[in-house]
Amino acid sequence: MSVDSGADAGASLYEDQKKIYPATVSGTFRRLKWAILVVGMAIYYLLPFLRWTRAPGQPDQAILLDLPGRRFYFFFVEIWPQEVYYVTGLMIIAAFVLFLMNALAGRIWCGYLCPQTVWTDLYFAVERIFQGERREQMKRDRGPWTFDKIWRKAATHLTWIVIAMLTGGAFVLYFADAPTLLVELFTLQADMTAYVWVAILTSTTYLLAGFTREQVCLYMCPWPRIQAALTDEWALNVSYRVDRGEPRGSLKANKKLRAAGEKAGDCVDCGQCVAACPTGIDIREGLQMGCIQCGLCIDACDAVMRKTGQDIRLIGYDTDINIERRERGEAPVFKFFRARTMVYVVLIAVVASVMAWRLGTRATIGLNVLHDRNPQYVQNSDGSVRNGFTVRLLNKKAERRELALAIAGMPAGTRLETSSPAKTEGGALLLPVDSDQTREVRVLVTAPAGAALPVSQDLTFVLRSPDGEIVNTRDFFKSP
Ligand code: SF4
Ligand code: SF4
């Protein structure tokens, strides 16, 4: 049985991807994008080489994700695996910052800061260097494969691959001592994992920035859908001023209309805004999912407006409210301080404050306790009951310390013992832990015979540092 309906037979459900050749523009937003690109890339490539003085024996790299050592160094902060909630906190702050940016000025993240946009912009620039401007590129792509076309294409792709390799190369420098790893990478002495990651990032950068480009924003990235649900009528978005631009027409036609006393728009229908758009959309058709809010059409249109002697910002950052107000002949209003933005600011401040407070007051010792699962208790021949625990002690200071482990909540006569070498002091075990290290010990808690204990008794492990810091962990003591 066929489901084809005559004329549609053989037609594809999917439109072929058309290559976009964005025209070069100059202006405020282009300059801003260049500045962000240069600063952003400088930070990305140079940050791994920034040094930070720490205690002897600790790495001196300012930002280091030390996976073998299970530490994350961020300037003066050292995060242990047990403190991964700081990373969660950072991600929550990043999400709220993104929401706030969206509430203030739409997809500015997409247009200016997203790595996909930044690297694609750089790849466009490389394309222009070797293959010329938009028209030249389009003409060459339609033409036959001449020597001129081949060497220009080859130079473009070679440069793209070098940029992609530098991108992947810089990424792995965040995971080891950067100067050492850099030398190892070039002398082929680095670990195979490093080469694998460089290869993965090289290929993804080359593919995403060189080929899929705006397709990533249109089809792969979830943010356009999310932001569409989060935006409101007060958010600034790149918009075409319909009230001023329409009816559009050539400069000559518009002049004639005006001379005849009829309404004529400022848009001369030159198509420069569409030609400049890296996602190939026509902003005059209204706000669209494909618009990444990069502002390049504003620069393109401003140049046309200047050339034709008209006011600039026929396309500009505007709000839905103002578009409606202008249509009614009312003056535009901007409202940056509103409930939505204030809620985001408060949430960012709260999460940041909690994190800062936790960081400022966090203990330099830590304690994790794991009760034996099987058997949960052992009854000795003298009637006493014994429970076994695996205890991990954390010493986050850059000096070896003797930590005192004790228990609380158990009846008098309960003993705390370990098979590891340890001194005792007032019922506590004194366990030395090396600087910036963890130590695992097996401990046994034995309740005396005749102690009237329930089946499960709350028990607290207490760890004390020589400086007087105390941390507690609650567990339970099992009895028959
Ligand atoms: S319509 Fe304008 S702001 Fe939107 S993506 Fe295209 S050039 Fe950028
Ligand atoms: S660049 Fe400006 S004048 Fe030209 S088509 Fe676009 S909106 Fe109209």
Side-chain angles (χ1 to χ4, degrees), residues 19 116 119-120 123-124 127 157 160 204-213:
K19 187 175 174 190
Q116 173 64 19
W119 262 262
T120 302
Y123 272 42
F124 277 139
E127 216 167 25
H157 285 267
W160 282 357
T204 48
T205 307
Y206 179 60
L207 183 73
L208 296 180
F211 299 93
T212 52
R213 298 180 166 181

Side-chain angles (χ1 to χ4, degrees), residues 169-404:
F171 180 76
V172 297
L173 298 181
Y174 285 88
F175 293 83
D177 182 61
T180 313
L181 181 58
L182 193 62
V183 174
E184 286 175 355
L185 281 171
F186 277 107
T187 54
L188 302 181
Q189 286 171 344
D191 195 274
M192 186 46 80
T193 319
Y195 291 110
V196 169
W197 277 106
V198 172
I200 290 171
L201 276 135
T202 300
S203 47
T204 48
T205 307
Y206 179 60
L207 183 73
L208 296 180
F211 299 93
T212 52
R213 298 180 166 181
E214 78 289 343
Q215 305 291 311
V216 175
C217 313
L218 292 172
Y219 305 114
M220 290 166 68
C221 178
W223 180 235
R225 280 93 192 154
I226 298 169
Q227 78 88 35
L230 287 170
T231 197
D232 66 6
E233 65 277 27
W234 290 101
L236 284 170
N237 284 303
V238 173
S239 318
Y240 167 65
R241 285 190 50 187
V242 188
D243 59 307
R244 194 187 130 188
E246 300 295 320
R248 66 184 81 154
S250 71
L251 194 59
K252 216 167 151 190
N254 282 351
K255 265 187 190 162
K256 265 191 192 167
L257 282 172
R258 283 192 192 103
E262 289 180 46
K263 179 170 167 32
D266 285 354
C267 173
V268 295
D269 209 10
C270 61
Q272 288 304 304
C273 50
V274 185
C277 179
T279 63
I281 65 164
D282 186 346
I283 194 66
R284 293 173 299 170
E285 289 169 10
L287 192 59
Q288 297 153 65
M289 189 81 86
C291 177
I292 57 167
Q293 307 276 318
C294 65
L296 294 180
C297 54
I298 303 178
D299 284 340
C301 189
D302 280 357
V304 175
M305 291 296 108
R306 284 193 190 96
K307 233 184 253 170
T308 55
Q310 305 184 83
D311 291 341
I312 60 166
R313 297 296 142 89
L314 175 57
I315 301 176
Y317 277 94
D318 206 354
T319 65
D320 285 355
I321 289 275
N322 284 336
I323 292 169
E324 285 170 17
R325 287 178 68 89
R326 283 201 184 91
E327 275 171 10
R328 294 197 298 267
E330 295 168 12
V333 284
F334 296 95
K335 217 162 142 185
F336 296 110
F337 300 100
R338 51 191 200 274
R340 180 184 291 256
T341 54
M342 288 300 101
V343 166
Y344 292 145
V345 169
V346 169
L347 287 171
I348 293 167
V350 168
V351 180
S353 307
V354 170
M355 280 179 64
W357 172 75
R358 286 283 303 172
L359 268 175
T361 58
R362 70 177 183 165
T364 60
I365 52 173
L367 176 66
N368 294 315
V369 178
L370 190 67
H371 194 291
D372 283 358
R373 280 181 178 271
N374 196 13
Q376 290 200 318
Y377 64 86
V378 173
Q379 186 151 30
N380 297 320
S381 54
D382 64 355
S384 61
V385 180
R386 193 181 73 204
N387 281 202
F389 300 85
T390 303
V391 175
R392 184 170 285 278
L393 312 170
L394 283 70
N395 176 16
K396 298 179 192 171
K397 266 202 169 175
E399 63 189 52
R400 181 182 163 87
R401 289 189 295 175
E402 209 164 56
L403 306 181

